[in-house]
Amino acid sequence: MLPSPATPAVCFENSLAVILEEEQGQYLLVIWRSKEWSLPAGQMVMNQVIHCMQRTGWGKVIFKQAPLASFPLEYHTWLLYDWLPRAQAAGGWCYAIIPPQQLFAHISFADFLGQVRRQGVRFYVAASLEQAIEWICQQQPNA
């Protein structure tokens, strides 16, 4: 009989999100919990993602997004020009996102993804958590 997978450790948790450490696949899983979102709160969670990357040494992250009324331009800009360079410097290199279905309709989200890809970041949009896990576990740093 195979051993059951280890329960993920919590790296950070608040009312907005939880960041889990998935040791078996060596990736972080960020689950956004709340629609009650603000720029400072979103930034706090994303800064904790960097802290967790530094602590674990893992550069792969899956984001399971909660529905947002829109993808705020301020957050988009901050992610691209502030957070992403710091995440890359901390060892982040591979990201998967499971967006809420209604988010696909927002042009700003599609524009954001295009800009991320133009920066050479390995990024995948998954339809489910299972699909994101399968993809991220197949990724190798030099692939």
Side-chain angles (χ1 to χ4, degrees):
M1 178 177 242
L2 293 173
S4 61
T7 302
V10 174
C11 185
F12 172 82
E13 183 172 17
N14 68 9
S15 62
L16 189 62
V18 62
I19 304 171
L20 302 172
E21 298 173 2
E22 296 284 353
E23 188 172 355
Q24 187 172 0
Q26 294 192 329
Y27 62 88
L28 300 173
L29 173 60
V30 181
I31 301 173
W32 292 89
R33 296 179 165 162
S34 173
K35 295 180 188 180
E36 298 301 319
W37 188 92
S38 69
L39 182 61
Q43 290 172 327
M44 180 188 62
V45 171
M46 294 303 288
N47 285 330
Q48 287 297 317
V49 170
I50 290 174
H51 172 74
C52 294
M53 279 193 287
Q54 291 170 326
R55 197 177 62 65
T56 62
W58 303 338
K60 299 189 289 186
V61 184
I62 296 175
F63 296 96
K64 185 172 186 323
Q65 293 295 126
L68 292 174
S70 66
F71 192 68
L73 182 59
E74 272 185 300
Y75 186 55
H76 165 145
T77 303
W78 180 80
L79 284 172
L80 282 172
Y81 301 109
D82 184 300
W83 183 84
L84 191 56
R86 290 186 298 116
Q88 288 173 303
W93 61 274
C94 184
Y95 307 93
I97 186 169
I98 306 119
Q101 293 305 310
Q102 71 273 25
L103 195 55
F104 279 118
H106 296 290
I107 293 171
S108 61
F109 182 69
D111 178 56
F112 171 76
L113 290 179
Q115 290 183 44
V116 167
R117 287 188 176 116
R118 280 191 291 280
Q119 290 187 14
V121 175
R122 198 174 313 177
F123 201 86
Y124 178 71
V125 178
S128 67
L129 180 57
E130 293 77 18
Q131 188 181 51
I133 291 169
E134 181 179 342
W135 179 82
I136 214 157
C137 287
Q138 293 173 358
Q139 302 307 301
Q140 300 298 318
N142 296 323

